[in-house]
Amino acid sequence: GEALARMRFLVSNSRRLGLLLGQPGLGKSLLFELFADECRRQSRAVAQVNLLGLSTREFYGQLGASLSAEVRPEYDVPQLFRRVADRLAANRLQGTSTVVLLDDADQAGADVLTQIARLTRIEPATGAALTLVLSADPANTNRLHSQLLELVDLSIRLEAWEEVDTIGYLQLALVEAGSQRPLFEESALAELHRLATGVPRRVNRLADIALLAGSRDRKSAV
């Protein structure tokens, strides 16, 4: 979709910071998963961290571990930062770009947000090619530092799915799950989209419930 294309643009043009905005349930985390898999297939270094409730040490610890940096539990924040910065520099020297996907940025503490702003500024010093993408609920962007928002190169807004998006997602998900035949009738797919109002999280839940009910009633298709 368009959001995925915009994230590709950020990385391919070596932009430093992107902001993915979407209401809860619109699939921000799912999009991050899909994009992370795509970046790994392209031999990029990828880190995914959910920022909800993390301390600064926990943030750098998880980030460093995801990037295969040398981080140890006894390291303090300056040591952890230096190990992460060294890993980014090593990636650049090896010709590897780094993509960092940070979920629930609007739920991060002020100290963690300060460290994220710091990361966006280390490229000139280390030569590390780095793109960070934050996700947030648009209703909570006031929780992000103004200095961090000023650094954003591109904002990406997720919208509810159209019916064709819902149908395409469900059909692909069933194929990847090993289904050899359609499990939903066309009218059921349209009704599922209507009930879920195009919200991916609701689509998944309703589809699971429908498939369970169909299995219980031994129906060949819902």
Side-chain angles (χ1 to χ4, degrees):
E2 183 179 350
L4 197 57
R6 286 174 173 263
M7 290 173 69
R8 291 177 185 135
F9 172 84
L10 275 168
V11 174
S12 62
N13 289 272
S14 299
R15 305 288 178 166
R16 293 192 192 175
L17 186 62
L19 179 60
L20 177 66
L21 297 172
Q23 296 176 351
L26 283 184
K28 297 186 295 295
S29 298
L30 175 62
L31 184 63
F32 271 1
E33 291 286 347
L34 294 173
F35 189 59
D37 288 343
E38 180 178 300
C39 288
R40 291 187 185 102
R41 289 194 298 271
Q42 296 168 346
S43 299
R44 293 187 168 98
V46 182
Q48 289 178 264
V49 180
N50 189 297
L51 299 178
L52 177 62
L54 291 188
S55 67
T56 305
R57 289 183 75 252
E58 289 171 332
F59 165 61
Y60 275 127
Q62 290 190 26
L63 178 59
S66 295
L67 294 174
S68 299
E70 183 188 349
V71 292
R72 298 177 182 176
E74 65 269 21
Y75 284 173
D76 59 18
V77 170
Q79 289 174 309
L80 290 168
F81 173 79
R82 179 44 47 198
R83 295 302 185 275
V84 169
D86 288 347
R87 179 72 264 172
L88 293 172
N91 286 349
R92 177 61 183 270
L93 289 173
Q94 295 166 5
T96 301
S97 62
T98 304
V99 179
V100 176
L101 306 173
L102 303 174
D103 216 350
D104 288 333
D106 53 321
Q107 302 299 318
D111 51 349
V112 172
L113 294 174
T114 297
Q115 294 302 318
I116 293 170
R118 184 184 183 190
L119 282 172
T120 67
R121 291 189 170 99
I122 68 171
E123 187 171 353
T126 65
L130 171 65
T131 299
L132 300 98
V133 185
L134 315 179
S135 79
D137 184 334
N140 297 329
T141 53
N142 62 309
R143 297 179 184 175
L144 302 177
H145 284 180
S146 58
Q147 67 175 103
L148 191 59
L149 291 173
E150 290 172 0
L151 295 171
V152 172
D153 293 304
L154 183 65
S155 291
I156 306 162
R157 184 174 288 272
L158 276 182
E159 304 291 348
W161 283 348
E162 299 291 339
E163 183 175 322
V164 65
D165 299 317
T166 298
I167 292 174
Y169 168 76
L170 288 173
Q171 290 175 336
L172 179 60
L174 290 171
V175 170
E176 290 182 343
S179 175
Q180 301 297 317
R181 57 182 176 78
L183 297 181
F184 288 99
E185 295 178 359
E186 290 187 11
S187 59
L189 288 170
E191 180 65 7
L192 194 152
H193 172 78
R194 186 188 69 80
L195 292 172
T197 63
V199 176
R201 185 180 298 169
R202 295 176 189 164
V203 169
N204 281 321
R205 289 177 179 172
L206 288 173
D208 286 343
I209 292 171
L211 288 172
L212 285 172
S215 175
R216 180 196 62 197
D217 296 339
R218 298 183 179 181
K219 292 184 177 181
S220 60
V222 177

